[in-house]
Structures are given as structure tokens and as C-alpha cells.
Amino acid sequence: MAGDGQVTLGSTVIKGNARKVRRIGPSGSILAGFAGATADAFTLLERLEAKLERYPNQLERACVELAKDWRTDRYLRRLEAMMAVADAEHSFTLTGNGDVLEPEDGIIAIGSGGNFALSAARALLTVDGLSAEDIARRSMKIAGDICVYTNHSVRVETLSARSVAE
């Protein structure tokens, strides 16, 4: 999972090296990325971690439970953020509309440059010899070249098969 570091307030860049991708869950076996309002995203990350404690080793169930809360709770409904979460087996996009979306090809993209990165990743998926990390890095480079709200300060977190067993 890769994320850029740009944080903007309107059309002004406030920070260029934000950490939008993190490890969560037991032993850091789950990756979470966010886009949107930072405080809202951290609230959702905390809620997801609580769901993961309640439903250990059940990422999909934790995501569905969070999405239900996000959709029905008056406070959470007002949060303006999106999340991308993944473990070694599944990846999901979570939205405030109650969506828990698992892509057919395993590629997720959120945020201002998300569609640019998604398009690039899908094209690069057909290139033999590229690792998931290579695809993520190249896709973020392309998104940063095109989208003014995406920069080249990219952070990548990877999962290994080992983290599934832990």
C-alpha cells in the first residue's frame, strides 16, 4: 500500500510528508490508508482498530461493522474521509456511504490522485516482472506527475506471508 505525503488546505500545500499509510491490528498485520480530513481519518482508524479487537482475524467483518456504524451514527456520518485497508488476503475501500468494496483485481485507490494511480496500476499489472511494490511506486509517481493534490513523497508499506500466521 502506498500513499503520498501531501496535505492541502484549499489550494495551499500545508505539509508535504504526512504519513497516510499505517500498520494497524495485531502485529501490524493490516495496512490502512486514508484520504480526506485528517482528524476524521484518525477517528475512523481508531474505530477500525476497536472493531479488529472485537473481531480478531476477521478484517472483512470488522470493515462491515465499521461501515454500518459510519452510516448510521449521527456523529460518524459527518466524517469526511475514505479508507483503504488490506491484509495479506483481502483489500477493501471503505466509504461514509456504507460501502465496503473489494476490487476484482486487488487494486484500490482513494484520494485526489486515486483515479490516476488506479489507471496506472491497472496498466502496470500487465507488465511481467513487476512486484506489487514496484507497481505501487510507479503508479504514485504517475499520479504525482498529473494531480496537483498528489506529491512524490511516497511511503510504501508491504505485507509478507509471514504476517498472516502471526
Side-chain angles (χ1 to χ4, degrees):
M1 186 176 292
D4 76 319
Q6 187 161 303
V7 176
T8 56
L9 184 59
S11 59
T12 304
V13 176
I14 301 298
K15 185 173 184 177
N17 63 348
R19 196 170 137 225
K20 299 179 188 177
V21 175
R22 313 174 170 268
R23 292 182 169 278
I24 63 171
S27 307
S29 60
I30 296 168
L31 301 179
F34 63 86
T38 307
D40 293 354
F42 282 117
T43 298
L44 292 168
L45 280 172
E46 289 172 5
R47 297 284 180 121
L48 180 59
E49 286 186 295
K51 296 295 183 188
L52 288 166
E53 286 176 15
R54 185 167 180 192
Y55 305 106
N57 301 315
Q58 298 179 64
L59 178 60
E60 184 172 8
R61 172 103 189 254
C63 289
V64 168
E65 293 299 323
L66 174 63
K68 288 189 322 192
D69 289 352
W70 194 354
R71 177 93 171 137
T72 58
D73 183 274
R74 182 177 293 199
Y75 168 72
L76 292 178
R77 235 187 341 231
R78 298 183 188 338
L79 299 182
E80 296 182 16
M82 290 182 74
M83 293 180 65
V85 296
D87 63 13
E89 297 175 22
H90 302 283
S91 55
F92 301 101
T93 299
L94 285 72
T95 74
N97 295 327
D99 300 316
V100 178
L101 306 169
E102 184 172 20
E104 293 176 2
D105 55 12
I107 301 172
I108 332 175
I110 59 174
S112 300
N115 286 333
F116 302 113
L118 178 64
S119 298
R122 285 190 174 155
L124 290 167
L125 198 58
T126 63
V127 177
D128 289 334
L130 292 181
S131 68
E133 182 174 347
D134 292 336
I135 291 170
R137 287 187 184 281
R138 290 179 183 199
S139 298
M140 290 300 297
K141 163 100 173 62
I142 291 167
D145 288 346
I146 297 170
C147 179
V148 297
Y149 295 105
T150 304
N151 71 11
H152 292 105
S153 176
V154 174
R155 176 182 300 271
V156 176
E157 291 283 350
T158 60
L159 293 172
S160 66
R162 183 176 65 89
S163 58
V164 174
E166 293 179 339

